[in-house]
Amino acid sequence: MSLAVCPGSFDPVTLGHVDIVRRARGIFDEVVLVVAHNPAKRYLFTVDERVELARAAVEGLDVRVDVVEGLLADYCRDVGATAIVKGLRGGADFDAEHPMALMNRHLAGVETMFVVGDGALAHIASSLVKDIAGHGGDVTDLVPPAVAQALRTALAHPGGTR
Ligand code: PNS
């Protein structure tokens, strides 16, 4: 039974993420989208919100959603992951991912496999989506419907706790 772990911040999950998870599910018997909690990072959405939005985004894909509280490498060892699967939009993604792949293998012997996503989605990044939505732009063809709605709600309350 092969098991892929697709980790990320998912703040929020985008159609690019969904594309990668779907492709991973075509290769591996089991796929878990893992929402990472990094206290050093300032997120727009809470962990619970990111998990809820990710669950809605992968509905029907036979993909589980989980949270990693500590090191991803430890999580992968605990669940017996066959590999970490990450999407590449271009060279900059590889440059960012390469040291993490080496480190996760150093820590837990877990391999990282890279999947090239749909070129039509290569411009989508969570940070850009938040920027566009924050400026009142339309993100409906960049993210799942529930995310577009959540962005509208979150950004309609500037100065709140976010
Ligand atoms: O979507 P992102 O922010 O590019 O994903 C990065 C993420 C969350 C996968 C990475 O920061 C991570 O694995 N965080 C969990 C803590 C950890 O294991 N850190 C060491 C990474 S080598």
Side-chain angles (χ1 to χ4, degrees):
M1 197 72 174
S2 59
L3 167 62
V5 168
C6 296
S9 295
F10 301 109
D11 184 48
V13 66
T14 69
L15 293 184
H17 294 129
V18 175
D19 174 50
I20 296 302
V21 166
R22 185 188 290 114
R23 289 174 196 281
R25 185 62 191 84
I27 300 166
F28 292 85
D29 296 321
E30 208 181 320
V31 171
V32 192
L33 181 160
V34 176
V35 176
H37 175 55
N38 181 353
K41 221 168 169 178
R42 201 173 161 271
Y43 294 112
L44 175 62
F45 295 105
T46 66
V47 177
D48 288 348
E49 288 169 333
R50 286 181 279 142
V51 165
E52 190 185 328
L53 292 171
R55 286 217 169 100
V58 302
E59 206 179 311
L61 296 183
D62 191 24
V63 166
R64 281 195 300 116
V65 174
D66 201 0
V67 177
V68 59
E69 302 282 355
L71 283 177
L72 178 65
D74 289 341
Y75 177 92
C76 288
R77 194 166 28 208
D78 290 349
V79 300
T82 310
I84 294 168
V85 172
K86 288 282 212 132
L88 292 183
R89 289 164 296 193
D93 278 351
F94 178 76
D95 289 344
E97 296 296 340
H98 186 222
M100 286 195 275
L102 290 173
M103 188 56 78
N104 284 319
R105 187 162 61 195
H106 171 83
L107 292 171
V110 62
E111 299 289 353
T112 297
M113 299 180 71
F114 295 110
V115 172
V116 175
D118 184 343
L121 304 173
H123 57 298
I124 303 178
S126 298
S127 53
L128 286 178
V129 164
K130 286 182 281 191
D131 186 23
I132 293 160
H135 286 88
D138 181 15
V139 295
T140 50
D141 51 359
L142 305 175
V143 294
V147 173
Q149 182 55 50
L151 282 166
R152 277 192 289 272
T153 305
L155 298 168
H157 303 290
T161 54
R162 294 176 185 283

